[in-house]
Amino acid sequence: MTRVLVVAPHPDDEVIGCGASMAKHASDGAEVTVAIVIARERSLHDGLRSDADFTDETRKASAALGVHRWELWDEPSRDFLPSRKTHLDLVRLIREVRPDILYIPHRKDGDVEHRMVNQLATEALWMATSDFFGETGKPAPTPRLVLGYEVWAPLADFQYAEDVTGFVDQKVEAMRAYQSQLRHAAWDDAVRSLARYRGAVATGTTHAEVFEVISLGTPPAS
């Protein structure tokens, strides 16, 4: 069974960045796990929404994509700094999941917290595959593929494109689960439109998602 781990800076980044690919993996029988590092920042429109309401958005989005397991770590928004705790939390998860494929934000994303989570995940992956940090379990094997997804800044250059024709409706459904975000922008329309554009230019299909290849490991033996 293929194991997939998605590390997202904020709730909804996982959907925008690789939601259709997640749904495709799940449809193929993969176990998909999502870790969301930073808590949602409340806007002036969120006064009547509770923390439980925000959690329910992630639950509904994950269900729409067929996610097997998800975690919310609620690190402080705009005061986030990677710490030993967050590193070890991610090391623990990588060692538990032992992902074949790891998705993280791409290295040049326009949001500073996205870039910080990229660095956090890159460092935690090295830690998780090393012989150190025994308090978090046994070392994990290196994923065969580590991909950087686009959220705030579209990728100027990409090395991998996934045909997600047939899975964009699930991505849009998951995006619509984040009702708090749709108050600020029509993200449901945006993710469909970007996937349509990427399909036209990257794969010649109806819809696609594109990624930065961060690491390419040894494929499993056939």
Side-chain angles (χ1 to χ4, degrees), residues 68-101:
H68 171 73
R69 170 187 177 187
W70 52 274
E71 296 188 3
L72 296 173
W73 293 352
D74 289 334
E75 290 293 319
S77 175
R78 299 307 152 189
D79 288 320
F80 173 67
L81 288 174
S83 64
R84 182 174 178 85
K85 177 183 178 301
T86 53
H87 278 92
L88 291 180
D89 283 344
L90 188 49
V91 170
R92 168 192 57 79
L93 187 60
I94 292 170
R95 287 179 169 178
E96 288 178 5
V97 174
R98 302 172 75 83
D100 301 292
I101 304 173

Side-chain angles (χ1 to χ4, degrees), residues 12-32:
D12 82 358
D13 289 336
E14 78 285 9
V15 176
I16 297 169
C18 55
S21 294
M22 291 162 62
K24 185 174 181 178
H25 286 304
S27 177
D28 288 340
E31 285 191 352
V32 181

Side-chain angles (χ1 to χ4, degrees), residues 124-146:
L125 179 60
W126 170 81
M127 293 167 67
T129 56
S130 77
D131 291 328
F132 298 94
F133 316 103
E135 66 268 41
T136 59
K138 296 181 180 179
T142 301
R144 60 180 171 84
L145 190 59
V146 181

Side-chain angles (χ1 to χ4, degrees), residues 8-209:
H10 310 100
D12 82 358
D13 289 336
E14 78 285 9
V15 176
I16 297 169
C18 55
S21 294
M22 291 162 62
K24 185 174 181 178
H25 286 304
S27 177
D28 288 340
E31 285 191 352
V32 181
T33 300
V34 175
I36 299 174
V37 177
I38 301 169
R40 176 170 311 290
E41 183 72 47
R42 286 182 172 273
S43 76
L44 296 176
H45 303 287
D46 295 327
L48 298 179
R49 297 184 66 81
S50 67
D51 291 342
D53 292 330
F54 288 141
T55 299
D56 198 49
E57 290 183 345
T58 300
R59 180 189 64 78
K60 291 177 179 177
S62 296
L65 299 176
V67 170
H68 171 73
R69 170 187 177 187
W70 52 274
E71 296 188 3
L72 296 173
W73 293 352
D74 289 334
E75 290 293 319
S77 175
R78 299 307 152 189
D79 288 320
F80 173 67
L81 288 174
S83 64
R84 182 174 178 85
K85 177 183 178 301
T86 53
H87 278 92
L88 291 180
D89 283 344
L90 188 49
V91 170
R92 168 192 57 79
L93 187 60
I94 292 170
R95 287 179 169 178
E96 288 178 5
V97 174
R98 302 172 75 83
D100 301 292
I101 304 173
L102 174 64
Y103 291 92
I104 66 178
H106 77 84
R107 286 176 280 196
K108 296 183 180 180
D109 198 284
D111 185 288
V112 63
E113 289 187 336
H114 293 194
R115 297 194 299 272
M116 292 168 74
V117 169
N118 170 281
Q119 294 172 354
L120 167 69
T122 301
E123 182 74 7
L125 179 60
W126 170 81
M127 293 167 67
T129 56
S130 77
D131 291 328
F132 298 94
F133 316 103
E135 66 268 41
T136 59
K138 296 181 180 179
T142 301
R144 60 180 171 84
L145 190 59
V146 181
L147 297 175
Y149 57 78
E150 56 186 0
V151 178
W152 201 248
L155 282 160
D157 298 295
F158 57 87
Q159 297 80 44
Y160 184 85
E162 184 69 39
D163 177 11
V164 294
T165 300
F167 297 94
V168 170
D169 285 346
Q170 285 175 259
K171 177 169 180 156
V172 172
E173 179 185 353
M175 193 65 244
R176 288 175 178 166
Y178 283 110
Q179 286 293 312
S180 59
Q181 296 303 94
L182 299 187
R183 293 191 180 94
H184 308 289
W187 282 104
D188 50 347
D189 291 337
V191 296
R192 187 188 295 276
S193 298
L194 180 58
R196 185 66 181 267
Y197 172 77
R198 290 305 197 185
V201 301
T203 58
T205 62
T206 305
H207 296 97
E209 291 176 336

